[in-house]
Amino acid sequence: MNQAVAKADPASAAGKGGAPRHVAIIMDGNGRWAKKRLLPRVAGHKQGVEAARRTVRAAGDLGIEVLTLYAFSSENWRRPASEIGDLMGLLRRFIIDDIDELAEAGVRLRVIGDYRALSPDIVSLIDSAIARTAENSRTTLVIALNYGAQDELVRAIRSFAADAVAGRIDPQTINDADVEARLDTSDLPPLDLLIRTSGEKRLSNFLLWQAAYAELMFVDTLWPDFDRDALAAAIGQFGQRERRFGGL
């Protein structure tokens, strides 16, 4: 068994009754939530932030080690400028308003994706929040910002290519563990459970490598309605699944 498969096969999650260490969520359905109520899309995004707050608190209470939230994809730049502005404004407010609570609750903040391409004031807020919570250990909150899994893999491939051209590595020796070490999530435990809300059944360029042996759950709940009970139900369902990682 190679190193990467061994990493993705923790004994605590190998069979029924195991609890996920790392849960990721594609937070989908804000726009449809608002449309159903004849509200502007920004109203759905605001309620989506409230759902994120509830879920982060619940993750800590339920013993989840890492919670990764897909907040803004590299493809979301295709949305109208006004909606992007609303989303960036909500991100600013979330960091400013919630950093004290996150720090006091023992939450460590991590960001994956090319967040440094965002506006300088947001980058500064993120860097400060990451530094402030770096020593916390109760729960790690990972926010995917300007993130795309294909871009993540391309960046890893480019780094291998540069090292190979410079003679620092032999391409024939590269294995899956080496790839994992160059991904944005290299310092995080394996992804156990990936949830997508709103009833859509696709990964949308999110954690494609990491999801190779993750349990996938597609729930009909629109993201603004997601809460502690919904997360607990997903964890309960995860505990009933058999995880064989290609074995018997």
Side-chain angles (χ1 to χ4, degrees):
M1 180 179 291
N2 64 38
Q3 182 178 352
V5 173
K7 179 183 175 185
D9 187 17
S12 62
K16 288 187 177 181
R21 295 176 62 198
H22 185 176
V23 176
I25 304 178
I26 300 174
M27 305 180 292
D28 194 21
N30 291 347
R32 274 166 285 173
W33 184 93
K35 184 177 181 180
K36 285 175 60 177
R37 292 160 176 79
L38 304 179
L39 296 171
R41 287 179 62 86
V42 67
H45 293 315
K46 287 179 179 178
Q47 289 303 310
V49 171
E50 292 302 320
R53 289 187 174 112
R54 291 194 300 268
T55 304
V56 172
R57 296 183 188 117
D61 294 341
L62 295 169
I64 294 172
E65 184 176 333
V66 177
L67 175 68
T68 299
L69 300 179
Y70 202 10
F72 191 85
S73 78
S74 51
E75 289 74 39
N76 285 156
W77 295 109
R78 301 170 186 168
R79 295 189 178 189
S82 59
E83 181 169 351
I84 292 173
D86 289 336
L87 290 168
M88 292 299 121
L90 289 170
L91 175 60
R92 286 186 186 92
R93 293 311 321 167
F94 177 81
I95 298 172
I96 293 170
D97 293 345
D98 288 61
I99 186 59
D100 288 340
E101 180 179 345
L102 293 174
E104 292 171 4
V107 176
R108 177 174 72 114
L109 179 66
R110 280 269 283 104
V111 175
I112 60 174
D114 185 17
Y115 77 91
R116 295 194 177 280
L118 305 180
S119 65
D121 68 308
I122 292 179
V123 173
S124 179
L125 287 171
I126 291 171
D127 285 342
S128 295
I130 290 173
R132 181 174 175 187
T133 61
E135 301 304 317
N136 290 347
S137 59
R138 183 178 185 227
T139 302
T140 296
L141 170 62
V142 182
I143 301 179
L145 288 173
N146 196 25
Y147 172 87
Q150 291 174 333
D151 173 71
E152 178 185 34
L153 291 169
V154 167
R155 287 188 276 112
I157 291 167
R158 285 174 178 162
S159 70
F160 280 122
D163 283 347
V165 169
R168 290 187 290 268
I169 61 171
D170 176 358
Q172 295 301 317
T173 68
I174 297 172
N175 59 32
D176 45 4
D178 295 326
V179 175
E180 287 187 354
R182 301 199 185 206
L183 299 180
D184 294 353
T185 55
S186 61
D187 62 334
L188 301 174
L191 179 62
D192 293 315
L193 172 61
L194 192 155
I195 303 167
R196 181 172 187 145
T197 60
S198 86
E200 300 291 348
K201 295 178 175 62
R202 56 181 177 271
L203 296 183
S204 295
N205 200 19
F206 184 50
L207 299 178
L208 299 181
W209 176 282
Q210 297 85 342
Y213 276 102
E215 296 297 312
L216 307 182
M217 293 187 191
F218 302 100
V219 299
D220 292 333
T221 306
L222 299 176
W223 176 247
D225 293 325
F226 199 85
D227 56 17
R228 178 193 176 93
D229 288 344
L231 181 61
I235 292 173
Q237 184 178 341
F238 172 89
Q240 295 303 311
R241 294 190 180 184
E242 292 284 356
R243 306 186 73 200
R244 298 185 180 88
F245 301 98
L248 297 178

